[in-house]
Amino acid sequence: MTGRTGARPTLNLAQGAKATRILGVGSTQPDRIVTNDELSQHMDTNDQWIRDRVGIVERRFADKDERVVDMAVTAGAKALADAGVAPSEVDTVIVPNCTMPSPIPNAAAQVADRIGIKAAGAFDLNAACAGFCYGLGVASDLVRAGSASRVLVIGAEKLTDVVDPTDRSTAIIFADGAGAALVGPSEEPGIGPVAWGSAGDLVDMIYMREHRYIFQEGQPVFRWATTQIAPVAMRAVELAGLELSDIDVLIPHQANLRIVEAIAKRLRAKGARDDMVVADDIRYSGNTSSASIPLALDHMRAAGTIERGDVVLAVGFGAGLSYAGQVFICP
């Protein structure tokens, strides 16, 4: 649990804007645990090499018949239960993802129907690993504008469908899972403005090779992330009208433990507190792209390492290169 005492800081909003907050969260992971030792049976690697390079101890792989939609339904239903909100009270579903096997039909409409959210506005959003921040920003703005009352945002990925199981540069990193957040109106601001952007000139750094497997230039991606993501995070804090010292919890997209630690170090050097909690969910969940931030949030809350009312800074980047940061209050 965080060690803050005294009054909580108040997030900034544009004059006249409605306030929104996260009402509830939920997540799910496949049952199958895949260790580093198991991967070493299929490629030239070992447990210590993987721990040193990316910080992962184990990850979860979905079964062949377990789909993106299935995981999204489970996580979304848990978020509704956590919020105490019935499906009939939700009117919009957004599913950030980059691993649906086909763009038509989208995941969101299927998820909404299976959860029991009828006639919902439903769409998928592809900003890869930055997808959850993009989706949370869109959901918050829909509620603020009056276009929606409650929006369910579910980051869900089955990355094992698009990873070459023999390629140690990707197979050791990526995994499967889903995390969800329900966004609704609030008397006090609970979600700050999103700071987002893209670097389209760098699309060759992370992309789908021959429309089948993820390819990434490991070292250039690492250098880009460790130098460019901290400023995005600081911009998100600025837009929320806060200081870095106000942040209780940092949840970077769980891309690589060395990247996570480098971002945290840069933010502390710029004014973040030494006792700021930093998510390291990647150790046991792997990189789940758009699902990684809500998965980490749900896991940390369940473990008691963060608590209701904590000020959370989330930031992510992914193929595109799309990136985003956002401040929100832990539900």
Side-chain angles (χ1 to χ4, degrees), residues 139-161:
S140 179
D141 287 348
L142 287 173
V143 175
R144 286 174 181 162
S147 297
S149 59
R150 290 178 177 83
V151 183
L152 184 57
V153 182
I154 313 169
E157 304 285 8
K158 189 179 180 185
L159 286 146
T160 50
D161 278 349

Side-chain angles (χ1 to χ4, degrees), residues 257-325:
L257 188 59
R258 291 191 298 157
I259 291 175
V260 168
E261 291 173 341
I263 293 170
K265 182 178 180 180
R266 287 176 65 88
L267 292 180
R268 287 190 173 113
K270 294 294 184 178
R273 304 197 313 268
D274 288 340
D275 67 345
M276 177 181 67
V277 177
V278 181
D280 60 356
D281 202 54
I282 191 171
R283 295 180 189 272
Y284 298 98
S285 296
N287 180 338
T288 54
S289 190
S290 66
S292 69
I293 290 173
L295 264 172
L297 172 65
D298 195 33
H299 288 173
M300 294 171 74
R301 197 182 63 160
T305 52
I306 61 175
E307 60 184 9
R308 181 180 176 86
D310 279 346
V311 182
V312 180
L313 169 59
V315 62
F317 72 97
L321 285 162
S322 299
Y323 52 85

Side-chain angles (χ1 to χ4, degrees), residues 90-110:
V90 179
D91 55 16
T92 308
V93 176
I94 304 173
V95 179
N97 79 89
C98 59
T99 54
M100 276 291 286
S102 172
I104 302 174
N106 67 21
Q110 299 175 71

Side-chain angles (χ1 to χ4, degrees), residues 45-56 168-169 172-173 218-219 222 255-259 282:
T45 190
N46 58 68
D47 176 65
Q48 194 61 53
W49 189 88
I50 295 173
R51 289 176 187 242
D52 291 343
R53 296 282 293 184
V54 295
I56 298 175
R168 74 173 185 174
S169 68
I172 65 170
I173 300 171
Q219 286 303 311
F222 178 86
N256 174 313
L257 188 59
R258 291 191 298 157
I259 291 175
I282 191 171

Side-chain angles (χ1 to χ4, degrees), residues 9 11 19 25-26 36 54 56 66-67 79 127 164 182 212 219 224 266 287 309 321 325 327 329:
L11 274 64
V25 296
N36 293 338
V54 295
I56 298 175
E66 191 171 8
R67 304 181 302 152
D164 181 348
L182 179 65
R212 184 179 182 187
Q219 286 303 311
W224 187 89
R266 287 176 65 88
N287 180 338
L321 285 162
V327 175
I329 305 300

Side-chain angles (χ1 to χ4, degrees), residues 35-312:
T35 65
N36 293 338
D37 287 334
E38 180 177 342
L39 291 181
S40 68
Q41 298 174 20
H42 307 287
M43 64 189 75
D44 181 19
T45 190
N46 58 68
D47 176 65
Q48 194 61 53
W49 189 88
I50 295 173
R51 289 176 187 242
D52 291 343
R53 296 282 293 184
V54 295
I56 298 175
V57 177
E58 62 185 38
R59 73 286 290 149
R60 302 291 186 99
F61 285 2
D63 292 335
K64 185 176 181 179
D65 60 353
E66 191 171 8
R67 304 181 302 152
V68 170
V69 169
D70 299 326
M71 292 184 285
V73 167
T74 301
K78 287 182 177 180
L80 294 187
D82 183 56
V85 172
S88 60
E89 300 177 74
V90 179
D91 55 16
T92 308
V93 176
I94 304 173
V95 179
N97 79 89
C98 59
T99 54
M100 276 291 286
S102 172
I104 302 174
N106 67 21
Q110 299 175 71
V111 171
D113 180 70
R114 285 180 52 182
I115 291 177
I117 305 170
K118 302 302 180 181
F123 59 94
D124 290 7
L125 185 158
N126 185 356
C129 303
F132 181 75
C133 287
Y134 269 66
L136 188 64
V138 170
S140 179
D141 287 348
L142 287 173
V143 175
R144 286 174 181 162
S147 297
S149 59
R150 290 178 177 83
V151 183
L152 184 57
V153 182
I154 313 169
E157 304 285 8
K158 189 179 180 185
L159 286 146
T160 50
D161 278 349
V162 293
V163 169
D164 181 348
T166 65
D167 177 10
R168 74 173 185 174
S169 68
T170 55
I172 65 170
I173 300 171
F174 294 106
D176 306 327
L182 179 65
V183 176
S186 174
E187 294 183 0
E188 296 292 334
I191 301 175
V194 63
W196 56 14
S198 61
D201 56 319
L202 302 177
V203 295
D204 290 340
M205 284 172 50
I206 311 175
Y207 64 93
M208 294 292 293
R209 177 176 279 173
E210 298 177 353
H211 305 285
R212 184 179 182 187
Y213 291 139
I214 293 175
F215 170 80
Q216 66 175 1
E217 294 282 359
Q219 286 303 311
V221 169
F222 178 86
R223 288 193 296 270
W224 187 89
T226 54
T227 58
Q228 301 301 314
I229 292 302
V232 176
M234 289 186 280
R235 175 62 177 159
V237 174
E238 179 185 354
L239 289 174
L242 304 181
E243 303 291 337
L244 279 173
S245 58
D246 293 320
I247 302 302
D248 298 310
V249 182
L250 171 66
I251 307 182
H253 157 57
Q254 305 292 284
N256 174 313
L257 188 59
R258 291 191 298 157
I259 291 175
V260 168
E261 291 173 341
I263 293 170
K265 182 178 180 180
R266 287 176 65 88
L267 292 180
R268 287 190 173 113
K270 294 294 184 178
R273 304 197 313 268
D274 288 340
D275 67 345
M276 177 181 67
V277 177
V278 181
D280 60 356
D281 202 54
I282 191 171
R283 295 180 189 272
Y284 298 98
S285 296
N287 180 338
T288 54
S289 190
S290 66
S292 69
I293 290 173
L295 264 172
L297 172 65
D298 195 33
H299 288 173
M300 294 171 74
R301 197 182 63 160
T305 52
I306 61 175
E307 60 184 9
R308 181 180 176 86
D310 279 346
V311 182
V312 180

